[in-house]
Amino acid sequence: AKHLNASRETSWNTEITILAELRAASSTHRDRRRDPIAPFGTHEDLPGEFDVVLGAHSHAFIPLDKAKIASLGYHPSLLPRWRGIAAVEWTIKAGDPIAGGSVYHLSDEMDAGGIAAQDWCFVLPGEDDASLWRRELGPMGLRLMIKVIDEIAETGACRADPQDERFVTLAPRIKDSAA
């Protein structure tokens, strides 16, 4: 995992501090409440308070009480569709012609917080999950996170549109058939 603790200066000469945990799409699943957030140790050891806590496709517990403005995550689906660890794989398995990404407010429920930003893309015929991630969903996540952080820097607030629970689908881990 790569960790970043950075500052971004706004037009008002104030700073938004960002703690971001970036993990590859192939990250292994861990116990969310016990996963250490290096280099600090556990989430209880994080220094101070941040304006924004940002987790990107993370399977680690991200502390909700450290952010003054928002604790956000990036999920590679058009939430509430494909909540869970294998969203990109389920997009391909289900034959979805459209995929997308969501920056959402982290909550105690998996991938269920309010939506700050979303975007979509077409799934190419015959495309697999890894190529969809590399071609569209990974870069989309970076664009969406930058967009949301820029909006927070400009307004001092973060949008949180509720997810429509009628459209929730789950994306549990897909067992490797070779195992």
Side-chain angles (χ1 to χ4, degrees):
K2 179 178 179 181
H3 301 277
L4 169 71
N5 188 357
S7 294
R8 182 181 186 114
E9 188 170 298
T10 70
S11 59
W12 306 301
N13 274 338
T14 59
E15 291 184 354
I16 289 194
T17 305
I18 304 164
L19 170 68
E21 180 181 339
L22 302 175
R23 294 189 189 267
S26 62
S27 293
T28 58
H29 184 65
R30 295 165 178 78
D31 181 334
R32 290 179 49 124
R33 304 224 179 255
R34 292 188 179 164
D35 192 26
I37 300 178
F40 306 113
T42 67
H43 65 278
E44 288 91 359
D45 299 324
L46 288 172
E49 187 176 53
F50 301 90
D51 291 322
V52 175
V53 174
L54 181 62
H57 197 62
S58 176
H59 306 142
F61 176 75
I62 304 292
L64 303 179
D65 61 347
K66 295 287 184 177
K68 291 185 263 181
I69 297 173
S71 292
L72 301 169
Y74 172 69
H75 188 73
S77 79
L78 288 168
L79 290 171
R81 185 152 178 84
W82 301 131
R83 286 183 185 171
I85 195 168
V88 184
E89 294 88 342
W90 280 98
T91 297
I92 297 300
K93 186 174 180 164
D96 290 353
I98 293 173
S102 305
V103 173
Y104 67 101
H105 289 258
L106 299 174
S107 67
D108 289 329
E109 189 179 339
M110 179 181 60
D111 305 330
I115 302 297
Q118 288 185 312
D119 198 3
W120 67 275
C121 63
F122 289 109
V123 178
L124 297 174
E127 190 161 37
D128 66 14
D129 56 314
S131 65
L132 177 58
W133 174 262
R134 283 190 306 272
R135 180 180 65 82
E136 285 287 346
L137 298 178
M140 179 185 294
L142 294 174
R143 286 191 311 273
L144 286 172
M145 288 186 289
I146 290 167
K147 175 184 174 184
V148 170
I149 294 302
D150 284 346
E151 288 174 3
I152 291 170
E154 193 173 305
T155 67
C158 188
R159 178 179 161 178
D161 298 332
Q163 295 184 34
D164 190 333
E165 297 295 316
R166 296 174 300 168
F167 301 108
V168 170
T169 55
L170 299 179
R173 179 182 302 284
I174 296 174
K175 302 262 191 251
D176 185 2
S177 59

